[in-house]
Amino acid sequence: MKPIIMFDMDGTLLDLAFDDLIWNHRLPERHAETHQYTLEHSQATLFEFYQQHKHTISWYSSRFWTEKVGVDTLQLQKEYQHQIKPRSGCFELLKTLQAQGYRCWLLTNADCAGLALKLENIDLRPYFEIMISSEQIGYSKEYVEFWQILQSMHPFDPQHAVLIDDMAPVLAGAQQFGIAHLVTITQPSSLRAQREAHELSYPAIDHLTEFLPLLAQLNFKEIDAKTA
């Protein structure tokens, strides 16, 4: 039986440049306009908020940020949705895995509204058996509880699964849960410099099709078909 391939969305399948643009550039600008602040004041205010809520479920919630900063953050994302782009090799990899009979799951910290917006622009749905937002779980992927609840909803053997994610805290949470095979991304955002693979804590790829030879090298335990 083939392993389940679990994919992150933003920074893995999709270019994180869109999220960089929204949260680090357009939101400070809109916040300054809305509240009649200087851009520098809004940047400092938002940066402080970001640090307070980083890696929590609120961090990924458009609804939370709309209430927190007084700007409709989902509407802001819609205004710039033409900037949502796949990363290099995204569809090439997904089509290959589908043709080879792999089960693929999409697991994202994006809230349900953010996930829907991304899928309206980049249709990933045909390639995934399961698509989950952490908003549905109640924990972000950084927490082992996310993986425990996911497993209760959709039973799987963590020893027979691969997770590809650009964020080290997410991979650490998955590792704590017991997912055996973890892969990261060297350049999640095209707006930022590529990270050095040897400086990362997990095997790393850039172009997504680089995952295919890596997948061929992974050793998966045999699963008893009667108990799988």
Side-chain angles (χ1 to χ4, degrees):
M1 184 182 296
K2 293 181 182 291
I4 295 173
I5 314 297
M6 299 174 170
F7 284 95
D8 171 50
M9 183 172 68
D10 301 310
T12 297
L13 293 174
L14 303 185
D15 191 343
L16 198 62
F18 173 77
D19 300 87
D20 280 341
L21 173 72
I22 296 299
W23 299 102
N24 295 323
H25 300 281
R26 297 297 174 255
L27 181 56
E29 292 169 358
R30 187 65 54 86
H31 185 265
E33 293 168 7
T34 301
H35 299 293
Q36 298 298 297
Y37 294 145
T38 65
L39 178 59
E40 292 75 16
H41 178 82
S42 287
Q43 288 171 329
T45 299
L46 292 173
F47 179 77
E48 183 178 347
F49 288 159
Y50 292 166
Q51 295 308 303
Q52 290 172 0
H53 299 282
K54 197 169 186 179
H55 300 306
T56 69
I57 196 73
S58 296
W59 167 268
Y60 302 102
S61 170
S62 301
R63 187 183 305 109
F64 171 82
W65 288 113
T66 295
E67 295 172 356
K68 181 78 172 173
V69 306
V71 174
D72 188 335
T73 58
L74 182 60
Q75 178 57 37
L76 185 63
Q77 292 175 73
K78 290 179 178 178
E79 290 175 28
Y80 292 93
Q81 62 184 306
H82 60 282
Q83 302 272 23
I84 299 171
K85 307 290 184 185
R87 290 191 68 258
S88 58
C90 172
F91 287 104
E92 189 178 349
L93 173 59
L94 293 177
K95 288 175 181 177
T96 299
L97 292 174
Q98 186 179 63
Q100 293 180 359
Y102 284 94
R103 300 167 63 194
C104 293
W105 294 7
L106 182 71
L107 309 174
T108 179
N109 272 331
D111 62 5
C112 294
L115 173 59
L117 178 64
K118 299 289 175 64
L119 295 179
E120 285 174 18
N121 288 271
I122 308 294
D123 192 9
L124 301 170
R125 286 166 291 201
Y127 306 99
F128 289 96
E129 172 184 282
I130 289 169
M131 306 183 99
I132 294 285
S133 161
S134 62
E135 185 178 30
Q136 298 168 264
I137 301 284
Y139 289 90
S140 59
K141 293 186 295 179
E142 290 89 329
Y143 293 88
V144 71
E145 288 88 349
F146 172 93
W147 303 99
Q148 292 168 342
I149 295 170
L150 174 68
Q151 189 183 47
S152 70
M153 294 170 60
H154 303 284
F156 68 94
D157 181 351
Q159 291 292 313
H160 208 68
V162 187
L163 173 65
I164 310 171
D165 199 293
D166 65 300
M167 289 179 55
V170 169
L171 293 164
Q175 187 172 32
Q176 182 184 353
F177 173 69
I179 293 181
H181 303 284
L182 304 165
V183 178
T184 196
I185 301 294
T186 57
Q187 191 177 23
S189 169
S190 60
L191 291 180
R192 296 177 182 269
Q194 185 163 332
R195 304 182 292 184
E196 294 293 335
H198 68 269
E199 296 176 355
L200 301 173
S201 301
Y202 303 93
I205 59 173
D206 178 27
H207 193 285
L208 282 163
T209 55
E210 294 171 16
F211 174 66
L212 293 169
L214 188 61
L215 177 61
Q217 296 170 13
L218 298 178
N219 293 317
F220 295 95
K221 72 171 191 176
E222 292 298 320
I223 294 182
D224 186 340
K226 296 177 182 177
T227 59

